[in-house]
Structure formats: structure tokens, C-alpha cells
């Protein structure tokens, strides 16, 4: 029988394993094998991105949401949420502050808020692009039509984050009332077709999630080949139907981050806030297991607490400048280098950037 260490080494070399082997690793990995897995994942990341970690400025601009995902604290039916929307001026002000702090990617994230019609968004995006033509815009506002994604792309959006949440159809349907598994996949495929850099991703430790489901997540990602992949532990929130459930762990999530790095070596993988929430060193641990992006918060402090997707989310009291410093210190202490550039996926770099980093182009 092949050992787990041998399976990891094969995955490192070949970039894939059969699903049974992935399940076997997920279920049986020992502490010693985990250390080996993380080292291999870090090595793979270094081949494409060296010791750099990209920074993105996150602006959580609306917590209104028409959806009702069973795990999410800002689900529409949670009437304890103090709802807010940032005005165009407030969002531009966040960008101004972020740009002065050195950020060259702005991630605009929100619930599925019908207030933001294509018209409102196009005007907002054009204004941001006009003021900061050197910066990338990433949107993360859920499911929309092909036509809407097309208009937003034309207005200047570079990237779009839409986690697939789980690749298991039955689990997806059980967690997302009135949403469809097929429509989510349609959205991801439309975004790809339209030329966005696309971010998918999933939660680890969802109630009812099996190791086979997690292997299915890896399989789905390997087929979709998104440029960005957000992976975080599920963390229960009291005001949701899943209150009282057990969440995912840092260890399980690190294993999934590292396996993802070995299967999609060039992906941009954020070290997520949810990891930092479960463990004060969680984000550093993810960087050491192959993640290469962090997304410090740029939202105004008076709305931060209101964007509570899960319990005890970190950084809710901290100014943008504080998070910027904090994260930089953490990245450096963990042995990495901060890159404040746009941080595009390696596949769209020009040869000059690639050669300056001595990449075999
Ligand atoms: N725990 C962890 N992650 C969550 N998300 C939403 N709710 C939770 C939770 N309770 C994640 C989802 C979503 C992203 C913005 O946050 O994966 O896509
Ligand atoms: Fe926000 Fe550390 S990143 S306080």
C-alpha cells in the first residue's frame, strides 16, 4: 500500500491523484505527513510566486442580502443585522485611503443587494477606474446574469470572486434555499467566458460535509482552473439555522489549502480572515501551507461589525492603516515579502515581469 508521504510526493510531481487517494489523505493524514504536505505546497508556491504575498484592500460595501445561505450571518432573514450600504462617495473614500496605503487591488464585496443595479455599479466602477487606473478591481457580489457580468466587465472590473461553496450538489442544495447548484456553475462559467480572472472556493467543515465532498471540491477546481481560490473553515453564527453546529478546524483547512496548491500550482490562494479568526496564527500558518494572498480590510470602522458572516470575525475594530501594518508585520515575521502590486495571476504576466522574477517563461 502506498504511504501518504508517497502520495503527497506524487501529487507534488504530477499535480493530480485519483479521488480515492485524495480521500485517503484527507482522512488519514498524520501530523508528520501534514508537515511534509505543507512544505511541499510552500515549495510549489515558491516556484511561481517566490516569497511574495499579495495584498488586496477589502471593502465590504453592503450587508443587505436577498439570499438565505444557512451558514451566513448576513442572510436576508437574519433580522438582528443592522443593515448598511456605503455611498459612492464613501466607497471612493475607502479607495483613496487604500491607494495612499499602497493597495493596487480593491475587492468590493457585498451581499446580493438589489439596490446595486448594473447602472449603479457601472457608474461606481468607472469612477474608481478613472481615479485609480493603476489598480485592479475585484467584485464579489454573488450571482448575476451573463449580461450583467458583461456590462461590469466592460466598465472595468478585472476579477470576480464567487465561491462555489461546496461541489456536492446535495450538500449545496441543503444549505442554499431557493438557489440552484446549476446556476452557480453557470455563473462561474460565464465569468470565465467573459475573460475575468475568476475566484472560486469552498468552506471546510460544513455540517454534513464528507471527505469525499472535499475531494470533489478539489476535482471541481482542477477542472474549472480558476485563477483564485478562497478556502476557509466554516464558523457557526448564532443567528442562522446552523447555530450550535460544529465548525471546521484550522488543521483540516490547512490540508485543503496545501492540496489545492499542489493541484493548481499557479493559483492565487488567499490566507483567509476566517483562519485568523480561529487561530491568532491561522493566517501565517496558511501562508506556510501554500497561500499567497491576504485581504486586509479597508471598510470604514463604523460598519465593520455589521459585516459579520460568522462569529468573532477579527479586525472589526481596526482602522485600515492598522490592518495594513499588522498584516505586513505578520507576513514578514512568517518569512515572506509583501508585494503591493496588482498581483495578477501568473498566466497573464508579461514576459518582463516574469523574467525579473527569473521565471522560466
Ligand atoms: N463561516 C465561514 N465562512 C463563511 N462564509 C459565509 N458564511 C460563513 C461562515 N459562517 C463565506 C462564504 C462566502 C464568503 C464571502 O464567506 O464562503 O462565499
Ligand atoms: Fe486587521 Fe491585523 S489584519 S488587525
Amino acid at each position: 500500500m502506498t504511504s501518504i508521504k508517497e502520495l503527497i510526493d506524487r501529487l507534488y510531481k504530477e499535480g493530480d491523484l485519483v479521488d480515492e487517494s485524495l480521500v485517503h489523505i484527507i482522512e488519514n493524514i498524520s501530523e508528520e505527513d501534514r508537515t511534509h504536505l505543507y512544505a511541499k505546497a510552500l515549495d510549489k508556491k515558491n516556484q511561481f510566486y517566490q516569497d511574495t504575498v499579495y495584498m488586496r484592500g477589502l471593502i465590504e460595501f453592503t450587508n443587505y442580502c436577498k439570499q438565505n445561505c444557512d451558514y451566513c450571518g448576513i442572510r436576508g432573514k437574519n433580522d438582528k443585522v443592522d443593515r448598511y450600504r456605503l455611498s459612492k462617495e464613501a466607497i471612493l473614500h475607502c479607495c483613496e485611503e487604500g491607494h495612499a496605503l499602497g493597495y493596487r487591488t480593491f475587492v468590493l464585496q457585498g451581499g446580493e443587494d438589489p439596490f446595486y443595479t448594473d447602472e449603479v455599479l457601472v457608474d461606481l466602477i468607472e469612477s474608481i477606474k478613472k481615479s485609480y487606473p493603476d489598480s485592479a478591481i475585484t467584485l464579489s457580489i454573488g450571482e448575476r446574469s451573463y449580461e450583467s457580468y458583461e456590462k461590469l466587465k466592460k466598465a472595468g472590473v478585472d476579477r470576480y470572486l464567487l465561491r462555489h461553496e461546496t461541489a456536492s450538489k446535495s450538500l449545496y442544495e441543503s444549505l442554499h434555499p431557493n438557489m440552484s447548484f446549476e446556476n452557480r456553475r453557470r455563473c462561474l462559467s460565464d465569468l470565465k467566458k467573459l475573460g475575468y480572472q475568476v475566484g472560486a472556493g469552498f468552506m471546510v467543515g460544513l455540517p454534513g460535509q464528507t471527505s469525499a465532498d472535499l475531494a470533489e471540491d478539489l476535482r471541481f477546481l482542477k477542472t474549472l482552473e480558476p485563477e483564485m481560490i478562497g478556502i476557509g473553515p466554516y464558523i457557526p453564527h448564532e443567528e442562522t439555522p446552523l447555530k450550535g453546529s460544529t465548525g471546521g478546524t484550522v488543521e483540516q483547512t490547512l490540508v485543503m489549502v496545501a492540496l489545492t496548491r499542489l493541484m493548481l500550482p499557479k493559483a492565487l490562494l488567499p490566507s483567509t480572515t476566517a483562519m485568523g479568526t480561529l487561530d491568532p496564527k491561522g493566517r501565517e500558518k496558511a501562508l506556510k501551507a501554500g497561500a499567497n494572498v491576504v485581504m486586509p480590510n479597508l471598510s470604514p470602522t463604523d460598519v465593520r461589525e455589521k459585516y459579520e458572516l460568522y462569529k468573532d470575525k477579527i479586525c472589526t475594530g481596526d482602522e485600515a492603516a492598522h490592518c495594513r501594518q499588522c498584516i505586513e508585520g505578520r507576513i514578514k515575521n512568517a518569512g515572506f515579502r509583501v508585494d503591493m502590486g496588482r498581483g495578477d495571476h501568473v498566466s497573464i504576466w508579461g514576459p518582463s515581469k516574469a523574467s525579473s522574477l527569473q521565471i522560466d517563461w
Side-chain angles (χ1 to χ4, degrees), residues 283 296-297 304 314-315 318-319 322-324 326-327 330:
R283 285 174 295 178
N297 210 310
R304 294 254 187 129
I314 51 170
C315 301
D318 301 298
E319 298 285 347
H322 178 84
C323 284
R324 164 80 179 77
C326 166
I327 279 281
R330 287 167 181 274

Side-chain angles (χ1 to χ4, degrees), residues 40-235:
K40 287 306 220 185
L42 179 57
D43 187 68
K44 193 55 88 179
K45 192 269 306 187
N46 288 342
Q47 288 173 17
F48 294 97
Y49 294 102
Q50 289 73 43
D51 57 351
T52 54
V53 176
Y54 295 115
M55 302 268 272
R56 325 289 199 199
L58 176 66
I59 305 170
E60 296 158 335
F61 69 99
T62 170
N63 69 354
Y64 281 86
C65 192
K66 67 173 189 213
Q67 300 294 3
N68 277 293
C69 307
D70 279 355
Y71 45 80
C72 184
I74 65 166
R75 64 202 302 277
K77 285 189 183 153
N78 180 2
D79 55 18
K80 302 250 166 61
V81 180
D82 186 3
R83 304 280 169 179
Y84 73 90
R85 283 185 188 110
L86 297 184
S87 66
K88 178 181 171 186
E89 290 66 38
I91 297 171
L92 282 166
H93 187 260
C94 290
C95 294
E96 185 186 350
E97 195 180 353
H99 199 266
L101 289 169
Y103 291 102
R104 294 297 178 268
T105 290
F106 301 115
V107 181
L108 271 60
Q109 185 169 85
E112 291 199 13
D113 179 355
F115 174 85
Y116 293 94
T117 58
D118 294 341
E119 209 185 339
V120 170
L121 287 167
V122 164
D123 174 57
L124 172 67
I125 288 150
E126 286 177 350
S127 302
I128 299 176
K129 274 283 171 181
K130 196 160 158 232
S131 302
Y132 308 106
D134 60 352
S135 300
I137 300 184
T138 305
L139 263 189
S140 177
I141 51 171
E143 298 181 12
R144 302 178 79 92
S145 66
Y146 181 91
E147 292 69 32
S148 173
Y149 288 144
E150 189 174 33
K151 283 184 196 152
L152 299 172
K153 183 84 184 48
K154 284 201 179 120
V157 180
D158 302 275
R159 311 179 187 140
Y160 202 100
L161 306 180
L162 184 76
R163 288 191 182 177
H164 65 279
E165 311 296 2
T166 170
S168 152
K169 181 170 156 68
S170 55
L171 183 58
Y172 185 92
E173 287 174 349
S174 75
L175 296 169
H176 300 93
N178 304 317
M179 289 174 79
S180 116
F181 183 72
E182 288 73 25
N183 194 49
R184 195 129 191 119
R185 296 202 163 191
R186 190 271 306 157
C187 289
L188 285 165
S189 122
D190 284 354
L191 290 162
K192 275 244 151 192
K193 267 186 236 153
L194 286 162
Y196 282 94
Q197 292 177 58
V198 174
F202 59 99
M203 282 172 284
V204 179
L206 287 165
Q209 189 178 42
T210 64
S211 310
D213 294 339
L214 291 169
E216 185 76 31
D217 283 313
L218 297 175
R219 183 64 47 217
F220 172 68
L221 292 167
K222 183 82 185 166
T223 311
L224 180 72
E225 285 202 292
E227 283 75 14
M228 303 165 287
I229 302 171
I231 303 169
Y234 158 64
I235 305 175

Side-chain angles (χ1 to χ4, degrees), residues 278-343:
L278 285 191
D279 175 344
K281 289 268 177 223
R283 285 174 295 178
E284 289 88 329
K285 289 179 184 172
L287 295 176
K288 291 179 183 171
N292 64 337
V293 172
V294 291
M295 295 168 59
N297 210 310
L298 281 180
S299 312
T301 40
D302 61 319
V303 301
R304 294 254 187 129
E305 283 190 345
K306 301 175 188 169
Y307 204 86
E308 196 191 45
L309 304 180
Y310 47 80
K311 194 171 59 183
D312 300 330
K313 187 167 163 239
I314 51 170
C315 301
T316 52
D318 301 298
E319 298 285 347
H322 178 84
C323 284
R324 164 80 179 77
Q325 288 314 111
C326 166
I327 279 281
E328 175 154 10
R330 287 167 181 274
I331 292 171
K332 286 186 178 159
N333 284 335
F336 300 95
R337 192 160 45 95
V338 171
D339 187 323
M340 292 300 290
R342 279 174 50 114

